[in-house]
Amino acid sequence: MAAAATCSPDAQGTGSKAASSRSNVTSFQRRGPRAGAADSGGPRLVSIAGTRPSLRNGQLLVSTGLPALDQLLGGGLAVGTVLLIEEDKYNIYSPLLFKYFLAEGVVSGHTLLIASAEEEPTDILQELPAPLLDDSCKKEFDEDVCKKIPESNVQMKIAWRYQLLPKMEVGPVSSSKFGHCYDASKKMPQELIETSKWHGFFLPEKISSDLPIESCSLAPGYLKLLQFIRNVIYEEGFDGSNPQKNILRIGLESVGSPLWGDDICCTENCDSSRSLTKFLYLLRGLLRTSLSACVITMPTHLIQNKAIIGRVKNLADTVVALESFIGSERETNPLYKDYHGLIHIRQIPRLNNLICDESEVKDLAFKLKRKLFTIERLHLPPDLSDTVSRSSKQGLADSAKLLGPGCGTMARGEKHLDF
């Protein structure tokens, strides 16, 4: 009986090792996922129709209504930021970008806030461009490409450096992608406009009522508009209080013009700019804490004081300028016959990083086709003629000098090269 109860030394050693290993097991154990929690366990961005997160900084983006402009701005317009569009001299092409932004909001199901001192918001809605179907947009783009096939088949030695530049998307974008194409020759269907939700601010109607002056440094029109935007943000739940997330697209037309009661276009006194700069400062503070994006058009070419323009640009997050060829020497210059104007990306915001996502393409031009408003890389044609006059040579050299380092860097001042 004693022999049966006795254990071998090997068995005792194995038992002691197992006991020591059990004593060394940590008390921290991995818990399973909580009820209602995501499987990944990490925070997720808000999923809203018509938006997408930026691949560089994770910021939520909305489309400007022009896919080529979205690409130049780093993927789109960031939610909570201000896009300032410097109007062209005759205000012909800047309203198109303004209406593209609003039309994209209607198609995406976003809420609109339209403010103007010249045109009623209902009239602006009736002039929005009609969205193009994927097949129609692709057909329109293919027709334009087919017209240039003979030119594109010619292999030129001068264009070798352009092969290394990044390609810019100017073609159609499908509905499953980010942004849509619009037909500038047709108006948006009335059924689509009636299904959209929008708020209108027409300055002559709002300013007619008695307005208590709360601050002498803010014009009555700007004060009334700021109160209207604040009420819409908090009452509609765009500050995050509404569980049903949506985007508020704010469009302000011709801010800074004399119609808004601002005299910065009539005098060079810097003290008169305090009303506009304070309005932009308070507006940007509202946008930072809400699910909204704002586009402002401004006639900066009418502002006399350049220091005011610099302050306004610093208060905006993104600045885009349109330069039309109408009324200038470039309108009759054969070098620019394929374009209607230049577009300048003045400023791109730095969001959640130290550097901005600046496009490598500097020389950009736009043209309004039969249906589409396109942005393309500006290419000056080479001079292949041996009998070209000196006046045309001088014009080509001056044009290349004005364009800057991006296009025609080899032509400086009086120098000219024949190929």
Side-chain angles (χ1 to χ4, degrees):
M1 296 295 293
T6 304
C7 297
S8 63
D10 296 339
Q12 292 179 359
T14 303
S16 62
K17 290 180 181 179
S20 61
S21 62
R22 287 193 300 268
S23 62
N24 292 333
V25 174
T26 177
S27 61
F28 295 99
Q29 297 179 0
R30 182 178 180 180
R31 295 180 179 179
R34 294 177 297 176
D39 296 338
S40 59
R44 290 186 177 182
L45 291 176
V46 181
S47 178
I48 304 176
T51 64
R52 71 175 179 186
S54 174
L55 298 179
R56 292 183 176 269
N57 49 39
Q59 189 76 20
L60 199 64
L61 303 177
V62 296
S63 175
T64 60
L66 202 59
L69 183 59
D70 292 338
Q71 185 179 2
L72 294 173
L73 300 183
L77 180 62
V79 174
T81 61
V82 178
L83 168 60
L84 175 64
I85 299 178
E86 299 184 33
E87 298 178 357
D88 52 292
K89 187 175 182 181
Y90 296 100
N91 197 23
I92 297 177
Y93 301 102
S94 55
L96 288 176
L97 299 184
F98 183 77
K99 294 173 182 176
Y100 282 152
F101 174 75
L102 298 177
E104 181 67 24
V106 174
V107 175
S108 302
H110 298 164
T111 305
L112 304 182
L113 192 153
I114 308 172
S116 176
E118 179 181 3
E119 191 175 3
E120 292 190 4
T122 54
D123 297 336
I124 297 178
L125 282 175
Q126 299 299 326
E127 297 177 357
L128 295 183
L132 274 175
L133 298 178
D134 299 337
D135 298 338
S136 302
C137 188
K138 186 176 185 302
K139 181 180 179 181
E140 177 69 20
F141 181 73
D142 291 341
E143 290 178 356
D144 183 74
V145 171
C146 292
K147 297 178 182 178
K148 298 184 178 181
I149 287 180
E151 298 179 2
S152 62
N153 289 338
V154 180
Q155 299 295 332
M156 303 176 62
K157 296 294 183 181
I158 183 96
W160 63 270
R161 72 183 189 94
Y162 293 109
Q163 299 176 1
L164 302 178
L165 294 178
K167 296 182 180 180
M168 187 172 57
E169 180 182 1
V170 296
V173 179
S174 63
S175 58
S176 60
K177 293 185 179 181
F178 187 70
H180 303 83
C181 293
Y182 296 91
D183 187 353
S185 63
K186 297 181 181 180
K187 306 302 180 183
M188 181 173 291
Q190 189 65 28
E191 297 80 8
L192 191 57
I193 297 178
E194 293 176 355
T195 57
S196 62
K197 186 176 182 180
W198 60 280
H199 303 271
F201 181 92
F202 187 46
L203 183 62
E205 296 179 355
K206 299 293 182 178
I207 208 64
S208 60
S209 59
D210 296 335
L211 178 66
I213 303 299
E214 299 180 3
S215 175
C216 59
S217 61
L218 200 61
Y222 294 150
L223 180 60
K224 197 72 175 179
L225 177 59
L226 195 65
Q227 293 175 350
F228 183 80
I229 296 175
R230 183 188 295 112
N231 293 337
V232 172
I233 289 178
Y234 289 106
E235 291 177 2
E236 299 289 338
F238 292 104
D239 57 343
S241 59
N242 190 357
Q244 297 180 357
K245 305 296 182 181
N246 198 2
I247 298 295
L248 176 64
R249 288 178 176 252
I250 305 174
L252 311 181
E253 188 179 33
S254 297
V255 174
S257 65
L259 296 176
W260 284 94
D262 206 333
D263 58 348
I264 61 173
C265 297
C266 307
T267 179
E268 296 184 1
N269 186 13
C270 293
D271 295 337
S272 61
S273 66
R274 185 176 302 175
S275 179
L276 177 60
T277 54
K278 186 175 181 179
F279 166 74
L280 295 177
Y281 179 79
L282 296 176
L283 174 63
R284 195 169 66 169
L286 282 176
L287 298 180
R288 287 292 192 269
T289 58
S290 62
L291 292 173
S292 57
C294 181
V295 169
I296 301 177
T297 63
M298 184 177 296
T300 54
H301 60 279
L302 298 179
I303 300 178
Q304 304 295 327
N305 197 319
K306 301 302 180 183
I308 299 177
I309 301 178
R311 296 176 185 176
V312 170
K313 291 180 180 179
N314 291 334
L315 290 172
D317 300 292
T318 309
V319 181
V320 177
L322 296 180
E323 180 184 354
S324 175
F325 291 158
I326 299 177
S328 64
E329 298 179 354
R330 295 178 179 177
E331 184 179 8
T332 58
N333 193 330
L335 298 176
Y336 304 98
K337 62 180 181 179
D338 296 332
Y339 308 102
H340 293 155
L342 302 177
I343 182 169
H344 308 281
I345 308 298
R346 306 288 192 191
Q347 181 175 311
I348 296 179
R350 295 173 174 86
L351 302 173
N352 302 332
N353 52 14
L354 298 178
I355 60 175
C356 60
D357 189 10
E358 187 175 359
S359 174
E360 299 180 2
V361 182
K362 301 298 182 181
D363 301 319
L364 298 169
F366 67 87
K367 60 181 177 181
L368 181 60
K369 302 178 183 179
R370 185 168 57 93
K371 293 183 178 181
L372 301 177
F373 181 90
T374 60
I375 300 176
E376 300 179 0
R377 192 180 297 112
L378 178 62
H379 298 292
L380 291 181
D383 184 11
L384 301 178
S385 176
D386 296 334
T387 60
V388 64
S389 61
R390 294 183 178 180
S391 60
S392 61
K393 289 184 178 181
Q394 179 66 26
L396 179 60
D398 294 341
S399 301
K401 184 179 179 180
L402 291 175
L403 287 175
C407 187
T409 51
M410 299 183 65
R412 297 285 187 181
E414 304 294 334
K415 297 181 181 180
H416 180 74
L417 297 179
D418 289 335
F419 298 97

